[in-house]
Amino acid sequence: ILAQAIFLESRVTTLAVHSRKCALRMGSSQSSCATHKPVISPCDLQMLFRILDKDNTGKLQGKEVETMFNAVLGFDTGSYEGDSAFDMEQVSDIIGDLHRRHPSWNVPSNVIKFINDNKDRADGADGGPMDDINMEKLFKILDNDGSGMLDNMEAYRFFAHIGVPARYLYLKSTEPMDAEAFTRIIREINVEHPEVDLEEKVVTFIQDSLANGKADFEEVENPEEEPPAPEQTGSGRKRALLIGINYVGSDHSLGGCINDVTSQGNVLRDHFDFEDMRTLTDDQDDESLVPTKTNIIESISWLVEGAEAGDQLFFQYSGHGSQTPNKSSDEADGMDECLCPADCLTNPWPEFVITDKELDAVLNDLPVGVRITMIFDCCHSGTMTDLAVSRDLGPPAGSFDEGHKSRFLEAPESVQPRVVACQTRDLDAPPRSREVVGENKDVWTISGCQDSQTSSDATIGGERRGALTWAFLSSLEDLNYSCTYDEVFALTKKKIRGKGFAQIPALSTTKEKNLTAQYLDGGH
């Protein structure tokens, strides 16, 4: 026990020392640690600043950051040297960097717990991101001349700056607005268009403006005309492969994976005109349709066989996800993300799992012009495909409910020594460069969580479901099955947050313009 205690204290010390190094590096640059996705949502981070940033500068002093980490870790991390001060993005990078290097410490979850435990220290904490305090801050930032009135063109430029269609504001008002009218309109747009994620964009803008000054807005046209309809691309063959594994009868059984792919298949058939579909589940008698590794690999070959430009392909996997040691060490954590076929429970790894490298090889072989959408409702799925452009979510302010079950499968004992070796290697050793799927391909991936996280298998509406699949299909329904990838992803985020799930979904694709493409060319 004493040896374990000494080891524990040494790990905390390592964590604290690296935190200080990362923070101090940030003090002299815009964040040398900012090479990964954020693991805390802007709304949660802003609440942290409202708790600690009492002088309302938009930055936390080193001492304030130290106070927070001491409380989160339950250990004195030591003092932050100098006069370093960190804005919201930099604090997010510190938290994310610590979490990626020491995932077992659950730093993001503990930070959120700290926020929830200390909300009473923040003024108006129960009002949410669009509360009176934030709306007053926003209006003061935008009201350049202090007249108490906001010019409509300046408001349009603000919307364009944060990536929200200015037409939404134009349809509400074409006249100058006082603070009350502006607040009412902003809140109405937030309710009417949840897919644009206005809350997070507003709080991010507020915090950045407080810390670094208001950004210069680019000129915009008066948004009188209807925007052009998103480009429709092709009308070729549609084919889908759906894989749901409940690991029936095993110690690792799940309850919602087969329901996920059944629901997804119904939506694809009824609203997107997919007819050529294959479903692999482990509850059927036909052995060729049981999701073993051999059958999954054969079915992936079936999915892409004969694909030509204009074809629309779809792939969903719901089941356990995991990580296995990566011999090439090109992953930042030394591990490959992997899918867990039904027969991997009793067979050796990595031979009986499917790694992200195997999936990337399939995608890179696709002919140019073939479009494929992939959904991974499993653990450690953030970069299940290595794509160049991404949208990601921060975790909601909530806890992991005891009624939820993780879709994580621990690697077998035979590979655990290599897992430990990956976890204890030099924290600052740079990973090898990684190849990503080519920009000339059209690939979209929606993942249930980040690489270091687990996805939930939960009871929702009386039925066992995957949290991602439930939120995603519900969002499609709310958007009448006609939306962009960005829009359905943003609404999925709100639904996951609303249920209190702690997982962070991700949307990735091969090029920036694909984020605003119509999901599956539009449904009905």
Side-chain angles (χ1 to χ4, degrees):
I1 295 175
L2 178 60
Q4 289 177 337
I6 292 173
F7 175 72
L8 181 65
E9 183 169 323
S10 69
R11 291 297 298 273
V12 176
T13 303
T14 300
L15 180 61
V17 168
H18 182 76
S19 172
R20 283 201 300 279
K21 286 181 179 178
C22 187
L24 290 172
R25 290 200 301 270
M26 289 176 184
S28 59
S29 69
Q30 182 55 34
S31 174
S32 56
C33 298
T35 58
H36 299 276
K37 301 173 182 179
V39 295
I40 296 284
S41 75
C43 294
D44 291 331
L45 274 172
Q46 200 215 24
M47 183 56 64
L48 177 65
F49 272 70
R50 284 172 67 164
I51 293 168
L52 298 177
D53 181 23
K54 292 305 182 184
D55 53 2
N56 202 33
T57 63
K59 293 188 176 183
L60 297 183
Q61 302 303 313
K63 193 66 179 177
E64 294 169 322
V65 176
E66 176 192 340
T67 298
M68 185 266 293
F69 276 113
N70 286 351
V72 166
L73 300 175
F75 184 83
D76 185 0
T77 62
S79 60
Y80 282 72
E81 301 172 6
D83 298 323
S84 299
F86 315 118
D87 63 22
M88 192 168 79
E89 181 181 0
Q90 292 169 329
V91 171
S92 174
D93 291 336
I94 295 173
I95 295 170
D97 191 67
L98 291 174
H99 180 53
R100 279 179 290 273
R101 294 172 183 274
H102 299 275
S104 64
W105 292 101
N106 295 318
V107 176
S109 298
N110 285 321
V111 169
I112 290 177
K113 184 178 185 302
F114 173 85
I115 293 170
N116 290 335
D117 290 345
N118 291 276
K119 275 186 176 180
D120 57 346
R121 294 168 53 190
D123 295 332
D126 295 330
M130 292 294 189
D131 65 6
D132 291 342
I133 293 175
N134 272 344
M135 290 298 97
E136 181 180 352
K137 288 179 181 179
L138 177 62
F139 191 84
K140 285 183 178 180
I141 293 168
L142 297 177
D143 183 19
N144 292 324
D145 57 7
S147 66
M149 298 296 292
L150 186 60
D151 176 76
N152 62 314
M153 287 305 297
E154 182 69 1
Y156 298 155
R157 285 191 287 270
F158 162 65
F159 266 50
H161 178 76
I162 64 174
V164 176
R167 180 169 178 78
Y168 295 161
L169 181 58
Y170 173 80
L171 293 174
K172 296 285 185 181
S173 175
T174 58
E175 301 295 331
M177 295 163 281
D178 61 16
E180 181 179 354
F182 179 71
T183 296
R184 173 180 53 78
I185 290 172
I186 288 288
R187 288 171 174 167
E188 288 177 358
I189 293 173
N190 183 54
V191 172
E192 294 168 7
H193 297 280
E195 71 278 4
V196 302
D197 208 13
L198 188 56
E199 290 180 353
E200 290 205 351
K201 291 174 179 176
V202 164
V203 300
T204 300
F205 174 80
I206 290 172
Q207 289 302 125
D208 186 61
S209 298
L210 290 175
N212 305 305
K214 177 189 170 187
D216 294 328
F217 296 161
E218 295 182 2
E219 294 297 323
V220 296
E221 298 292 331
N222 196 318
E224 296 181 9
E225 300 298 325
E226 283 282 357
E231 180 182 356
Q232 300 287 329
T233 55
S235 57
R237 180 189 64 172
K238 294 184 175 183
R239 176 177 283 185
L241 172 60
L242 308 174
I243 302 168
I245 314 176
N246 280 349
Y247 308 90
V248 177
S250 77
D251 293 337
H252 305 281
S253 63
L254 297 170
C257 301
I258 295 175
N259 290 337
D260 286 350
V261 297
T262 299
S263 298
Q264 184 69 260
N266 292 336
V267 168
L268 291 174
R269 182 181 300 105
D270 296 343
H271 300 283
F272 295 95
D273 300 326
F274 277 74
E275 295 182 359
D276 192 7
M277 292 192 286
R278 179 183 292 188
T279 302
L280 306 184
T281 59
D282 56 343
D283 65 341
Q284 49 190 321
D285 296 329
D286 187 341
E287 291 187 359
S288 68
L289 297 178
V290 174
T292 62
K293 178 169 182 177
T294 297
N295 286 344
I296 292 175
I297 294 298
E298 189 279 326
S299 293
I300 291 175
S301 297
W302 165 83
L303 177 66
V304 302
E305 183 180 8
E308 299 177 349
D311 288 352
Q312 184 79 257
L313 308 180
F314 187 94
F315 174 93
Q316 172 153 351
Y317 172 87
S318 286
H320 279 305
S322 190
Q323 294 177 304
T324 188
N326 172 14
K327 295 179 182 178
S328 68
S329 296
D330 62 353
E331 298 274 3
D333 57 1
M335 306 280 282
D336 273 341
E337 285 64 55
C338 61
L339 308 181
C340 300
D343 55 343
C344 81
L345 300 180
T346 55
N347 287 292
W349 291 25
E351 293 81 3
F352 280 81
V353 296
I354 299 172
T355 69
D356 50 0
K357 301 298 180 294
E358 293 176 271
L359 295 173
D360 288 345
V362 173
L363 298 177
N364 275 315
D365 286 342
L366 282 175
V368 173
V370 174
R371 290 154 293 144
I372 183 168
T373 299
M374 310 182 81
I375 294 181
F376 297 96
D377 199 343
C378 59
C379 298
H380 299 288
S381 55
T383 58
M384 194 63 75
T385 55
D386 293 324
L387 308 180
V389 181
S390 66
R391 291 284 186 269
D392 52 88
L393 308 178
S399 60
F400 191 86
D401 188 272
E402 293 180 358
H404 305 163
K405 189 171 184 178
S406 167
R407 289 186 173 181
F408 170 68
L409 185 63
E410 188 172 1
E413 292 184 5
S414 60
V415 298
Q416 281 301 322
R418 283 185 284 155
V419 172
V420 172
C422 291
Q423 292 172 341
T424 57
R425 67 182 187 171
D426 181 4
L427 294 180
D428 291 313
R432 299 178 185 176
S433 60
R434 301 184 64 188
E435 293 185 5
V436 297
V437 176
E439 185 179 342
N440 62 336
K441 309 294 184 180
D442 288 303
V443 182
W444 293 263
T445 295
I446 298 102
S447 306
C449 63
Q450 304 297 301
D451 288 344
S452 59
Q453 288 192 311
T454 60
S455 290
S456 297
D457 190 88
T459 300
I460 304 174
E463 183 180 44
R464 207 69 184 172
R465 304 290 300 276
L468 172 69
T469 301
W470 162 79
F472 189 79
L473 295 182
S474 177
S475 297
L476 282 176
E477 182 179 9
D478 289 353
L479 295 168
N480 296 316
Y481 303 98
S482 182
C483 54
T484 67
Y485 283 85
D486 246 353
E487 289 171 342
V488 66
F489 180 67
L491 187 52
T492 297
K493 162 190 177 175
K494 284 185 174 289
K495 289 180 179 288
I496 287 178
R497 178 190 297 160
K499 285 289 184 181
F501 294 108
Q503 63 196 73
I504 312 171
L507 165 64
S508 302
T509 186
T510 45
K511 42 186 172 281
E512 189 74 27
K513 72 175 186 178
N514 280 356
L515 294 169
T516 55
Q518 284 286 95
Y519 176 72
L520 299 182
D521 286 340
H524 55 82

